[in-house]
Amino acid sequence: GTFDTRFINRTQVYRFNTTSQMKKTLFCFLLLFPILVYGQEDKEYFDSFLQEFSSDSSFQMSRIQFPLPFKTMNNDTYEEVEMTLSKDQWNFHSVLPNHESFTQTYDSFERDMDDSGERVFSITGNRNGINVYYYFKRIDGKWFLVKFEDTST
């Protein structure tokens, strides 16, 4: 009987210590959870952003930083002209030629993208003079168009 009592007492003490440790661990986790979750920037994926940007005009307008720096080509003099565009001057751009796919160039053989927070999406024609660049920047975790160039001839 003595052995059984000591075994039960040790089990009860062990359970008490384990429960106490679990409570402390849980308490620390609950304190740190908001910092771990909300302290990190929630980063939007560029490819899903670009799909929506290219297909939804109101979404597109909400994700452009105006006044928007704009570079174009004067087709009479073939000189580059720099200006800014206001919301009133912007027309919806279907950035992706078709909304089902687009070409992606990666930064490495592992198909990783450098997490610089900046992307340039270009449309360059093959012997047709098309030369368009969209400059995007991630701001507070969301992508925005911050510069636009259309130097097509």
Side-chain angles (χ1 to χ4, degrees):
T2 310
F3 178 76
D4 290 338
T5 305
R6 281 187 270 172
F7 179 73
I8 290 171
N9 287 341
R10 281 189 216 149
T11 305
Q12 288 173 344
V13 169
Y14 178 73
R15 283 186 185 156
F16 176 77
N17 286 337
T18 303
T19 304
S20 176
Q21 289 171 347
M22 284 182 67
K23 285 181 182 179
K24 287 178 185 176
T25 303
L26 183 62
F27 179 73
C28 289
F29 177 76
L30 291 175
L31 282 177
L32 294 175
F33 183 75
I35 296 168
L36 294 172
V37 172
Y38 299 109
Q40 294 180 0
E41 187 177 346
D42 187 21
K43 296 179 181 177
E44 179 176 49
Y45 291 108
F46 183 74
D47 53 351
S48 56
F49 157 77
L50 192 59
Q51 291 282 346
E52 189 166 359
F53 187 86
S54 187
S55 60
D56 183 338
S57 61
S58 56
F59 179 80
Q60 187 175 98
M61 287 298 282
S62 73
R63 293 301 190 88
I64 299 174
Q65 286 197 327
F66 291 105
L68 182 67
F70 173 56
K71 184 190 292 185
T72 190
M73 180 73 72
N74 181 327
N75 289 332
D76 295 329
T77 63
Y78 295 104
E79 293 179 9
E80 290 183 351
V81 178
E82 293 189 28
M83 61 183 76
T84 58
L85 298 176
S86 67
K87 274 188 176 185
D88 296 335
Q89 296 170 307
W90 182 259
N91 293 318
F92 175 73
H93 286 226
S94 183
V95 177
L96 300 176
N98 65 30
H99 302 295
E100 296 173 11
S101 65
F102 65 93
T103 302
Q104 178 68 60
T105 303
Y106 294 98
D107 294 333
S108 69
F109 287 161
E110 286 78 31
R111 291 182 274 171
D112 292 328
M113 292 294 292
D114 180 20
D115 195 19
S116 67
E118 296 178 342
R119 296 283 185 272
V120 178
F121 187 83
S122 67
I123 302 171
T124 306
N126 187 12
R127 292 186 233 150
N128 61 8
I130 295 173
N131 199 25
V132 180
Y133 296 92
Y134 296 89
Y135 294 82
F136 296 96
K137 187 170 190 167
R138 188 170 39 220
I139 301 169
D140 295 328
K142 295 182 179 182
W143 290 100
F144 288 87
L145 179 66
V146 295
K147 183 179 176 182
F148 173 58
E149 293 181 6
D150 184 350
T151 55
S152 303
T153 54

